[in-house]
Amino acid sequence: MKILIGNFVLADSPDPVPISNLRIACAGNVQAAQFFRAAAAQFYDRGNQKTEITFDTTQLWPNQLAAESYLLMLRTMFPTTGLVTFIAGVKGTQTASRYLRNAVVQNLQSSMLGACTTRHSFKISGGIMQTSPN
């Protein structure tokens, strides 16, 4: 899967930015109504659907300086809000694109694994996944 925010590539599996621990959570506002002497509570969907996507990436660098520089500057390299594009499948074969409009990179955690490997954990929040970018 390839994940982009704007034109910046957050993940591109299997190479050069492999993705792991991809999780998608969808939720909305639900109102619970508890009526006097009712046998069971009733629940009402109040909309406001949201999608939260979390994933990890790792990158291998030619040297320690390149890895540390990327680690320190990653947050400044891409927009924190905008259209997030998910391209499922393998390049060169059949693919499917899905879009999360007005999404926000809510959380980014980065770390070093050894001298030349960086690991990044992303959390992206948005509305409902769409089949077109508009």
Side-chain angles (χ1 to χ4, degrees):
M1 177 176 291
K2 186 173 189 173
I3 302 174
L4 301 103
I5 184 162
N7 292 324
F8 188 85
V9 177
L10 296 175
D12 191 3
S13 274
D15 288 321
V17 188
I19 189 172
S20 61
N21 298 323
L22 177 65
R23 293 188 181 124
I24 300 173
C26 301
N29 288 343
V30 175
Q31 178 183 354
Q34 298 175 347
F35 299 104
F36 188 68
R37 295 188 187 196
Q42 292 184 9
F43 296 88
Y44 301 96
D45 182 1
R46 298 298 184 204
N48 292 315
Q49 296 295 310
K50 69 177 179 177
T51 304
E52 291 184 348
I53 298 168
T54 58
F55 59 93
D56 299 328
T57 63
T58 55
Q59 287 185 267
L60 212 53
W61 299 95
N63 56 53
Q64 185 173 345
L65 177 61
E68 290 174 351
S69 296
Y70 186 80
L71 184 77
L72 292 168
M73 298 303 295
L74 176 59
R75 186 62 164 164
T76 66
M77 294 179 179
F78 60 88
T80 57
T81 62
L83 177 68
V84 177
T85 303
F86 300 86
I87 304 170
V90 179
K91 186 177 180 181
T93 64
Q94 187 175 9
T95 61
S97 296
R98 298 295 181 259
Y99 306 91
L100 201 54
R101 299 181 202 140
N102 302 315
V104 175
V105 178
Q106 188 173 337
N107 196 4
L108 167 62
Q109 295 180 355
S110 297
S111 60
M112 293 283 292
L113 302 172
C116 297
T117 304
T118 58
R119 180 173 186 224
H120 311 282
S121 297
F122 293 91
K123 179 179 181 181
I124 298 173
S125 298
I128 298 173
M129 194 69 71
Q130 305 290 322
T131 57
S132 72
N134 310 349

